[in-house]
Amino acid sequence: MGTQEAISKIIHLVGGPENINKVWHCMTRLRFDLVDDNKIAADEIKQLPGVLGAQLQSDQFQIIIGPKVNGWYQLLQDALGTDSRTATSGKTKERKSLVSLFMDTVSGVFGPIVQAIAGAGMIKGLLAGLIALKLVSTKSDTVMIIDLIASGVFYFLPFFLAVSAAKIFKTNEYLAVAVAACLMYPTLIDAAKALAAHQDGAVSALWLLNAIPVSVFNYASSVIPVIFSILALKYIHQAVDRVMPEVLKTVFTPTLTLFIGALAALVIIGPIGIWLGKMLAWCIEGLFGISASFAGLVVGAIRPVAILTGMHHAMTPIALQNFSDRGYDMLMPMMFMANMAIAGATFAIWRLNKENRTVTLSAAISALLGITEPALFGVLTRYKKAFIAATIASSLASAFIAFFGVRLYGYILSSIFSLPAYIGPWFIFALSGVAIALVLSFTLTTLLVGREQKP
């Protein structure tokens, strides 16, 4: 069975096109929002060639494909014959919980842009390592050029998020970018920089008609403000379009939508979003306030379960907020440890089990390269003790690196090839953490599962 045939089968087994509200993808999964979840034939979908697993989680039906997910997604779009983010049925399902809506939004918004931020983050991390080793001068033209390549994505992140969020929320992408452009306009950013530097004449707000305050914030690299602003833009656009006479819609609907949407973003949503982002970071900071090692234990322990349930994307906004506020992040190294622990446990199963060795080895190598779904869904869910071993190793390795303050200066994929990004003062501890995660999970799995254990 070819991929195209598998796609046709998937559409049929989720209840047909009329049962699909929307579908999107992250790094490894096709994610469906369906009208009626009872129509899903999950067991049959799991048997399709190329499908690594399937589950209903947080009102999403997730089909795990692995690194080839983008190709499958494109074929799925073609098969549906329309933009698969657009509702095909006109029906609606029961109202989702806030948690489900949050997970849908985060995975949908960040999934398509992960490659851009991961690539830029890797370059940023490598540059930080070269500077730490004093192999290049921070004042050289070479560093400035590489830095602009690496930092451009993060600085202008609101534009990427605006496009992605507009697709998820089903509103005009160009109006969304226009709103993001208002948040990123130099007048506002320069005023925020002057305020931060305590320059003479700096102001904390600009005033519209001497009555409406526009708080001064630097929205470069921000996450939450632009996502909520685009969500509001959707409803503003709908409301304006609903009351606007047909003859005036072409000109005045986008005019009023942009003005009201941008004003709402600048006056209300943007400032609230900034503080919400800071609160998320403060919650994680609270764990570090208790103890860095304690924070590592907690984050390392929940990470494998979060990946398994598809909730791991919730950590992405926090990590990006840390990069924006502090210039570095300590969460992503813990995600790295979790991936290495999952790889170690899977390698142990490959060594112990004589069946399906090719599949298991492929899953282990994939986890080593930062894609853990094949290992989790294809192997560790069948070996519960191995999953426990991976969780223990992830927790302890994360506690170890947190104790020594291992950090990153740019968003990167949590792959063994990401190690060069850690070059600098914390490199030896990052390397030791990887060794702990791999060796401990491999050893614990060997001890817990044993040679005679069968799936």
Side-chain angles (χ1 to χ4, degrees), residues 358-381:
T358 301
V359 173
T360 306
L361 179 61
S362 174
I365 294 174
S366 180
L368 204 61
L369 298 179
I371 306 298
T372 54
E373 278 82 356
L376 281 170
F377 289 94
V379 181
L380 299 189
T381 52

Side-chain angles (χ1 to χ4, degrees), residues 122 126 336 340 368-370 412-421:
M122 188 64 180
L126 289 171
F336 185 22
M340 296 303 99
L368 204 61
L369 298 179
I412 61 173
L413 289 178
S414 298
S415 160
I416 194 68
F417 289 123
S418 302
L419 268 174

Side-chain angles (χ1 to χ4, degrees), residues 310-339:
M311 299 182 69
H312 53 300
H313 290 290
M315 292 184 182
T316 301
I318 302 174
L320 291 172
Q321 190 68 47
N322 287 338
F323 288 129
S324 176
D325 292 345
R326 298 178 177 83
Y328 67 86
D329 172 64
M330 295 177 68
L331 280 179
M332 295 208 67
M334 298 176 190
M335 303 177 197
F336 185 22
M337 296 303 107
N339 285 4

Side-chain angles (χ1 to χ4, degrees), residues 28 45-46 48-54 63-67 359 366 371 373-379 381:
T28 56
I45 291 174
K46 291 176 183 178
L48 294 174
V51 173
L52 302 173
I63 300 178
I64 299 88
I65 303 299
V359 173
S366 180
I371 306 298
E373 278 82 356
L376 281 170
F377 289 94
V379 181
T381 52

